[in-house]
Amino acid sequence: LNDNPSHYKITLSGTVKSPKINCDPPFLMLMPVPLNVKTETAINIIPQDYLRQSQIQVELPELELEDGDRIYPFSVQFREGQDIVLSSDGTNKELICHISFRSSRPVSFLGNIFFIDEEEN
């Protein structure tokens, strides 16, 4: 003090952790099924480093068929909700997502399904 600030230095350091979402399994392969028959599987959504409640949204792909028609053969369901909740021990609870596929037209697909939070992580 006394007009001499060099005697008092404070050094602060920290780590900023950005929230992220992992999936288990990271890749999904659904079995071929006859037309109009649903195939389904469940995946674990593993949120990490969320400090406040958020909600998961899903972006499902639109498929374009050879004749130009567009279909949405995928659907998702979170039977226990889509909220990311901070537990008392500081971790985030895993969410179970059921992904299903059904199509009345022959189709195969290789692509992405995006899971995002309210802040687009």
Side-chain angles (χ1 to χ4, degrees):
L1 298 159
N2 295 334
D3 296 325
N4 193 353
S6 63
H7 288 128
Y8 301 96
K9 290 186 180 181
I10 297 175
T11 303
L12 300 174
S13 65
T15 303
V16 175
K17 292 185 176 182
S18 296
K20 62 183 177 179
I21 300 169
N22 291 315
C23 298
D24 182 34
F27 300 98
L28 182 64
M29 185 183 313
L30 297 172
M31 297 304 296
V33 292
L35 296 178
N36 278 327
V37 173
K38 181 167 79 169
T39 182
E40 181 178 33
T41 192
I43 64 170
N44 291 323
I45 305 297
I46 307 163
Q48 293 179 312
D49 300 325
Y50 281 83
L51 300 177
R52 61 181 172 213
Q53 185 170 333
S54 189
Q55 190 174 69
I56 296 288
Q57 301 296 322
V58 183
E59 293 180 1
L60 296 172
E62 173 188 60
L63 306 184
E64 184 174 351
L65 303 176
E66 290 179 1
D67 63 3
D69 284 350
R70 295 183 175 277
I71 61 171
Y72 293 89
F74 293 97
S75 62
V76 297
Q77 186 178 40
F78 290 87
R79 295 180 183 150
E80 298 175 14
Q82 295 173 239
D83 291 333
I84 297 173
V85 179
L86 184 63
S87 300
S88 60
D89 65 357
T91 61
N92 300 120
K93 181 182 174 189
E94 291 184 9
L95 305 170
I96 299 173
C97 178
H98 296 268
I99 300 175
S100 62
F101 173 90
R102 180 191 312 242
S103 177
S104 60
R105 308 268 299 272
V107 65
S108 62
F109 170 74
L110 175 63
N112 296 309
I113 295 175
F114 293 100
F115 296 88
I116 58 174
D117 64 19
E118 294 168 347
E119 296 179 7
E120 299 186 7
N121 292 308

